[in-house]
Amino acid sequence: MTVSVLVPSSLVREAEDKREATRKLGYVARAATVFRADRLVVFDDEDGERRWGGGFVSTVLAYAATPPYLRKEAWGQRGELEYAGILPPLRATSQTGSESNGSGSLRQGIVTEVGPDRRVRVNCGLQHPISLVTPPEMGELTEGERVTVRVSSRRPVRARLVDDPLPGLSVERMDLQAALGREDAGFRIATSRHGEPLTVGRLASLAGRVEADGATIAFGAPERGLPAILGFPEADVPAGGDEDATEPIGGFDLWLNSIPNQGSEVVRTEEAVFATLGLLTLTE
């Protein structure tokens, strides 16, 4: 079960300066982390971009999702990260076990040195980089490469490289339709104030389907919702459930208004992400 959050490259189009744009992106990364999303995908909306585009958005989000102990080594100095210091810490939950049977936590690491006999030194947030053997199922590693480390004990240190996806929130830049077409896309939801209003009666079935099948949940940009991004009139947005449609509009299974009684004329994207994920990830 995978939950993907899709945001447009025009996400920070109304930000007054780079500092405000960075702050806004930090809240989006926080929301995705709080509600255990697996992926944050930035899709192109070049027509809606202003001062900062997809490169800025994806870079700041990827930096925010990088464990603090790897940030300096992985990113160095970049103009997009001028105000990275104001990003709120994600503090993604993880637990490190003390057993030697392979239990413990998965951590991101970065290869700092490649030695002989498939040995590498890896910075994975422990006191010092540790020497590990590259398992046969993994190819040759290179300096600067991100890897997954399973840490079963800190004192004494017991860890090994594993051929698993990097743990934590991943950030990608991808075409919208490609993201919707993934095999693990699950239930595809477009958020829009013109969609089906979310009700208490509807919530149980929606949250249950997200829990069972996973979901891909897309959001629009300030003053530029998903209908405008996709290029069709707001009047064409289905205001009722359409999971059984043979040709879902825009590639989505459902257009959902997750804040049906909003008291503000505009709900900011970061606010919509918190509100929507908070409801759709409820469990019984």
Side-chain angles (χ1 to χ4, degrees), residues 6-8 10 43-45 176 180 189-194 216-234 237 249-250 252 254-256:
L6 277 53
V7 294
S10 55
F43 62 89
D44 286 336
D45 176 31
L176 176 59
L180 295 175
I189 300 172
T191 59
S192 171
R193 66 183 301 174
H194 305 284
T216 295
I217 308 167
F219 297 86
E223 300 178 353
R224 187 172 170 82
L226 285 172
I229 292 174
L230 291 169
F232 62 82
E234 295 173 346
V237 174
I249 295 179
F252 293 97
L254 175 68
W255 284 78
L256 183 68

Side-chain angles (χ1 to χ4, degrees), residues 155-172:
R155 295 182 182 179
V157 173
R158 287 196 292 264
R160 59 190 175 92
L161 290 171
V162 291
D163 190 20
D164 291 346
L166 292 176
L169 179 67
S170 70
V171 177
E172 305 173 17

Side-chain angles (χ1 to χ4, degrees), residues 10 66 106 187 190 226 241:
S10 55
T66 301
L106 293 178
F187 191 37
L226 285 172

Side-chain angles (χ1 to χ4, degrees), residues 1-256:
M1 191 276 286
T2 301
V3 173
S4 298
V5 175
L6 277 53
V7 294
S9 61
S10 55
L11 175 61
V12 293
R13 65 195 306 266
E14 92 297 4
E16 296 181 358
D17 53 35
K18 190 186 292 186
R19 180 186 180 90
E20 174 64 15
T22 301
R23 180 201 60 78
K24 182 183 183 77
L25 293 171
Y27 288 140
V28 171
R30 275 286 296 173
T33 301
V34 166
F35 295 107
R36 296 182 178 272
D38 300 284
R39 285 191 293 250
L40 252 178
V41 177
V42 180
F43 62 89
D44 286 336
D45 176 31
E46 295 180 358
D47 292 340
E49 294 174 10
R50 290 180 179 169
R51 297 173 65 183
W52 301 282
F56 173 82
V57 171
S58 59
T59 296
V60 174
L61 289 175
Y63 179 89
T66 301
Y69 57 83
L70 293 183
R71 286 177 175 175
K72 183 176 181 181
E73 200 157 22
W75 291 96
Q77 299 290 326
R78 297 186 59 157
E80 301 98 319
L81 303 175
E82 181 180 0
Y83 292 102
I86 71 169
L87 288 169
L90 301 189
R91 298 181 63 85
T93 56
S94 64
Q95 293 185 351
T96 301
S98 58
E99 304 295 329
S100 59
N101 61 1
S103 66
S105 67
L106 293 178
R107 297 173 65 84
Q108 285 193 40
I110 190 167
V111 177
T112 61
E113 183 180 343
V114 178
D117 301 322
R118 295 182 64 81
R119 296 198 72 90
V120 293
R121 293 187 68 81
V122 177
N123 173 10
C124 60
L126 302 180
Q127 189 172 5
H128 303 288
I130 56 177
S131 178
L132 299 172
V133 176
T134 308
E137 63 269 20
M138 296 179 66
E140 295 291 332
L141 299 178
T142 58
E143 187 173 326
E145 186 172 349
R146 301 272 193 102
V147 291
T148 300
V149 180
R150 183 176 290 281
V151 179
S152 54
S153 173
R154 289 175 177 267
R155 295 182 182 179
V157 173
R158 287 196 292 264
R160 59 190 175 92
L161 290 171
V162 291
D163 190 20
D164 291 346
L166 292 176
L169 179 67
S170 70
V171 177
E172 305 173 17
R173 193 171 177 186
M174 178 180 288
D175 177 77
L176 176 59
Q177 295 305 318
L180 295 175
R182 283 180 129 145
E183 290 186 2
D184 62 351
F187 191 37
R188 299 166 298 178
I189 300 172
T191 59
S192 171
R193 66 183 301 174
H194 305 284
E196 175 190 351
L198 182 59
T199 63
V200 174
R202 186 81 163 93
L203 179 58
S205 62
L206 283 179
R209 182 161 183 181
V210 171
E211 184 181 10
D213 301 335
T216 295
I217 308 167
F219 297 86
E223 300 178 353
R224 187 172 170 82
L226 285 172
I229 292 174
L230 291 169
F232 62 82
E234 295 173 346
D236 290 350
V237 174
D242 62 334
E243 293 99 317
D244 298 325
T246 53
E247 294 185 6
I249 295 179
F252 293 97
D253 300 308
L254 175 68
W255 284 78
L256 183 68

